[in-house]
């Protein structure tokens, strides 16, 4: 009788699995020993040694120094010729078919009289009628709309923090941004556009984007992304009872009242009360609303992998 027939056979896949588990336990034990030795150099959260190059530190210090120089210059001399005291009105072309704005370079070029005469000689009357119909269609779908290019004369502006304030921002700029309640990236707040607020926005202009919001924009922001401050906590604006309980003393009971106060500022509501009381009402409503958390214009994949940057889009728009 063969003695090997009584032995239990083990599958090869099971043997490989045991070998892999033993190797994994050995690598984990070795990494635990190295982690205990070099514990001071490793971050507990990421468990990765972070190395900062000296060139990066120099670049950050230079940017911090330039930002401080600009802040001191604007605080003493103002914006000088960089900011206009008159309201600027510009024109934009709107495509009614696509429902979007069209740039000037994408517009069809107008033909000169000589080119039109040459085409009329070469082509027949029917073709000329078709071309005329096409040009009329283009004129009907494209509309020129005037808009304000700055915030002069406005009572309310909406400001958004566009740049991170981590390493390259001076303390005075951070303090000014925190006084405007702009502490997180891509957060937006409603501000009364007074002389004091305008000076503060000029001081931190490279970091923020601000402009005049329309009534539709204010309504969409409050309804879709509106959160309020109740006992120091961030509470969604899901019910009008929260507004009535917190701002009922001011006569505000619903979302429409908040939109009216934010859009009118302190000019349209001065008939019954004084200006100081209405400015206090706007301030209470603005502080009652939590800063709006918005999404970035470009995603992280677009910025890093596709290298798509926002460009010099900041300041008064």
């Amino acid at each position: 009788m063969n003695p090997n027939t009584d032995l239990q056979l083990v599958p090869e896949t099971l043997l490989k699995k045991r070998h892999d588990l033993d190797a994994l336990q050995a690598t984990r034990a070795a990494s635990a020993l190295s982690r205990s030795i070099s514990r001071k150099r490793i971050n507990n959260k990421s468990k990765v040694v972070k190395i900062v190059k000296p060139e990066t530190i120099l670049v950050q210090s230079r940017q911090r120094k330039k930002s401080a120089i600009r802040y001191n210059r604007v605080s003493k001399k103002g914006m000088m010729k960089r900011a206009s005291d008159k309201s600027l009105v510009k024109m934009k072309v709107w495509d009614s078919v696509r429902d979007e704005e069209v740039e000037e370079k994408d517009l069809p070029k107008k033909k000169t009289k000589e080119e039109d005469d040459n085409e009329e000689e070469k082509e027949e009357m029917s073709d000329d009628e078709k071309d005329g119909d096409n040009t009329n269609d283009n004129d009907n779908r494209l509309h020129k709309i005037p808009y304000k290019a700055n915030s002069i004369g406005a009572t309310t502006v909406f400001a958004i923090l566009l740049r991170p304030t981590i390493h390259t921002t001076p303390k005075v700029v951070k303090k000014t941004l925190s006084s405007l309640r702009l502490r997180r990236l891509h957060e937006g707040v409603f501000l009364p556009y007074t002389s004091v607020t305008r000076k503060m926005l000029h001081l931190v202009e490279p970091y923020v984007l601000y402009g005049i919001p329309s009534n539709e924009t204010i309504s969409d922001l409050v309804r879709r992304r509106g959160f309020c401050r109740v006992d120091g906590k961030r509470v969604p604006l899901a019910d009008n009872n929260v507004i009535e309980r917190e701002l009922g003393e001011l006569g505000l009971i619903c979302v429409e009242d908040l939109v009216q106060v934010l859009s009118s500022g302190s000019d349209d509501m001065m008939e019954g009360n004084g200006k100081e009381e209405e400015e206090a009402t706007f301030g209470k409503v603005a502080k009652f609303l939590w800063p709006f958390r918005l999404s970035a214009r470009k995603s992280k994949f677009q910025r890093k992998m596709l290298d798509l940057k926002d460009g010099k889009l900041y300041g008064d728009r």
Side-chain angles (χ1 to χ4, degrees), residues 4-228:
N4 295 328
T5 56
D6 297 335
L7 296 176
Q8 186 177 2
L9 298 177
V10 180
E12 188 176 359
T13 55
L14 185 59
L15 293 174
K16 288 183 178 180
K17 188 179 292 185
R18 289 177 182 175
H19 180 269
D20 294 338
L21 288 174
D22 294 339
L24 182 61
Q25 289 177 359
T27 53
R28 286 179 178 175
S31 63
L33 288 174
S34 63
R35 196 180 303 131
S36 61
I37 294 172
S38 60
R39 187 178 298 171
K40 294 182 180 180
R41 295 180 297 172
I42 296 176
N43 189 4
N44 292 328
K45 294 182 179 180
S46 59
K47 296 182 180 180
V48 176
V49 178
K50 188 176 181 180
I51 300 173
V52 181
K53 296 181 180 180
E55 293 83 358
T56 306
I57 298 174
L58 290 174
V59 170
Q60 292 175 357
S61 63
R62 287 172 192 155
Q63 292 179 355
R64 200 181 305 115
K65 186 177 180 180
K66 289 180 181 179
S67 298
I69 291 172
R70 183 199 174 277
Y71 186 92
N72 295 330
R73 185 186 71 244
V74 174
S75 62
K76 291 179 181 179
K77 299 182 180 180
M79 292 291 288
M80 294 183 284
K81 294 183 180 180
R82 295 178 178 86
S84 176
D85 294 331
K86 299 179 181 179
S87 61
L88 300 176
V89 179
K90 295 183 179 180
M91 303 292 292
K92 64 180 179 180
V93 182
W94 189 264
D95 193 346
S96 59
V97 177
R98 296 181 181 178
D99 198 14
E100 63 181 8
E101 186 178 354
V102 182
E103 297 182 0
E104 294 183 358
K105 61 182 181 179
D106 297 334
L107 294 176
K109 296 182 180 180
K110 293 184 178 180
K111 297 180 181 180
T112 60
K113 293 183 179 179
E114 296 179 356
E115 293 179 354
D116 292 337
D117 294 337
N118 295 329
E119 287 183 357
E120 287 178 359
E121 292 177 357
K122 293 180 180 179
E123 296 179 358
E124 297 178 356
M125 293 297 295
S126 60
D127 296 334
D128 291 337
E129 291 176 357
K130 291 180 181 179
D131 293 338
D133 294 337
N134 293 330
T135 54
N136 291 330
D137 293 339
N138 291 329
D139 295 336
N140 293 329
R141 61 183 284 188
L142 299 177
H143 304 281
K144 289 186 177 181
I145 303 173
Y147 71 96
K148 279 189 174 183
N150 57 5
S151 302
I152 300 298
T155 57
T156 307
V157 293
F158 186 72
I160 306 171
L161 182 62
L162 290 180
R163 291 175 59 184
T165 58
I166 303 175
H167 302 292
T168 61
T169 308
K171 290 184 179 179
V172 287
V173 176
K174 289 182 179 180
K175 189 175 180 180
T176 307
L177 288 171
S178 64
S179 61
L180 293 173
R181 298 188 299 124
L182 293 172
R183 301 179 182 88
R184 290 184 55 173
L185 188 63
H186 300 127
E187 273 192 348
V189 293
F190 288 101
L191 300 171
Y193 197 64
T194 59
S195 59
V196 179
T197 309
R198 187 188 179 196
K199 181 67 177 297
M200 295 174 70
L201 289 171
H202 284 171
L203 290 172
V204 297
E205 190 167 278
Y207 296 87
V208 297
L209 173 69
Y210 63 96
I212 305 174
S214 62
N215 293 335
E216 295 179 358
T217 304
I218 297 174
S219 179
D220 289 342
L221 282 172
V222 174
R223 293 178 187 278
R224 296 182 182 181
R225 304 209 175 213
F227 283 80
C228 61

